[in-house]
Amino acid sequence: MASILIVEDEQRIASFVSKGLRAEGHVTTVADNGVDGLDHAMSGAHDLVILDIGLPGLDGFAVLDQMRSQGSRVPVIVLTARDSVTDTVSALEGGADDYMPKPFRFAELLARVKLRLRQVDEAEPGSKDALEVGDVRLDLRSRRATVHGRAIDLSAREFTLLEIFMLNPGQVLSREQMLDHVWGYDFDPGSNVVDVYVGYLRRKVGSETITTVRGMGYRFSS
Ligand code: CA
């Protein structure tokens, strides 16, 4: 159970997200403007913030900026417009941990919420900013990846998939685990989306880093 703050002025979205998270056993607080949102976010009472960008009072970028400059390290998932790449990039550069393009299915948001909460649990005091396995380095704040010190371009899905691998180095991950964590909803079990994305990642981080374990899944190692 976690305490989750939802800063969203569209009542319909706020209520659908809040109801869904409560049904998952979490406690939610809703703020419908940026000023109240920032107050709540800085109270230290929340484990995670879901933050809309277009807000009255103070927009989501300003809220995020104030939070980070005042030292808050609470994970933030921003809600962005699907067609605004600029917003997404600015939010991630401004210290957001993840983003969810609108409109979204609740299951998609829930997958990101679970992932962020799990990382908070796993993080040591001081919290992890980067993951490093062999020559692959993942900066979780700027969401940039490097291989042998060279930056590589990853899509959001590729990044999340690589993140799951790097959080579990040397362990075999099943296709179901990857589907659940990266896509967050039930794909047709016959879907080859995981294999396709593993293929993309192999091309970008080096084919030798991801081993196929027949009948079981994939293993990431340096
Ligand atoms: Ca809005």
Side-chain angles (χ1 to χ4, degrees):
M1 189 205 79
S3 168
I4 300 174
L5 171 65
I6 302 155
V7 190
E8 167 64 83
D9 59 318
E10 267 176 80
Q11 210 257 324
R12 191 181 53 83
I13 298 178
S15 127
F16 128 88
V17 170
S18 177
K19 277 184 193 147
L21 291 173
R22 281 171 189 260
E24 290 290 313
H26 299 301
V27 174
T28 58
T29 304
V30 175
D32 66 0
N33 67 78
V35 177
D36 290 348
L38 179 60
D39 273 355
H40 283 295
M42 293 309 296
S43 69
H46 306 289
D47 304 303
L48 178 82
V49 178
I50 296 170
L51 177 65
D52 187 31
I53 292 297
L55 289 169
L58 212 53
D59 73 12
F61 294 124
V63 172
L64 185 59
D65 181 57
Q66 295 269 329
M67 283 176 66
R68 295 305 186 224
S69 64
Q70 292 176 38
S72 167
R73 297 175 57 102
V74 180
V76 174
I77 300 173
V78 291
L79 305 180
T80 58
R82 191 167 286 275
D83 53 3
S84 181
V85 175
T86 329
D87 275 9
T88 305
V89 171
S90 313
L92 295 173
E93 284 179 347
D97 300 272
D98 209 340
Y99 67 96
M100 186 77 250
K102 285 179 176 180
F104 53 86
R105 296 202 239 170
F106 180 72
E108 292 180 274
L109 177 66
L110 184 61
R112 283 168 160 79
V113 166
K114 281 184 178 165
L115 182 64
R116 292 302 142 197
L117 291 175
R118 202 165 59 94
Q119 282 170 355
V120 171
D121 284 347
E122 283 168 358
E124 281 138 25
S127 175
K128 252 185 265 179
D129 285 339
L131 298 169
E132 217 164 340
V133 179
D135 295 318
V136 185
R137 187 173 193 283
L138 216 50
D139 189 316
L140 301 178
R141 299 215 145 265
S142 64
R143 296 183 63 89
R144 292 214 170 89
T146 56
V147 179
H148 299 291
R150 269 204 327 271
I152 53 168
D153 245 354
L154 295 176
S155 70
R157 297 274 198 224
E158 290 166 353
F159 187 94
T160 310
L161 183 60
L162 185 55
E163 190 177 36
I164 294 290
F165 273 128
M166 291 182 66
L167 283 166
N168 301 282
Q171 289 178 36
V172 179
L173 297 179
S174 69
R175 286 180 179 75
E176 292 71 31
Q177 281 175 307
M178 290 183 262
L179 269 180
D180 184 44
H181 285 296
V182 181
W183 285 268
Y185 43 90
D186 292 332
F187 258 78
D188 166 11
S191 159
N192 68 342
V193 65
V194 168
D195 309 272
V196 169
Y197 271 79
V198 165
Y200 294 157
L201 273 187
R202 278 182 170 147
R203 256 173 268 157
K204 293 180 177 183
V205 302
S207 55
E208 68 291 348
T209 55
I210 304 173
T211 318
T212 306
V213 183
R214 203 167 286 282
M216 293 180 72
Y218 293 102
R219 180 173 48 222
F220 184 88
S221 51
S222 53

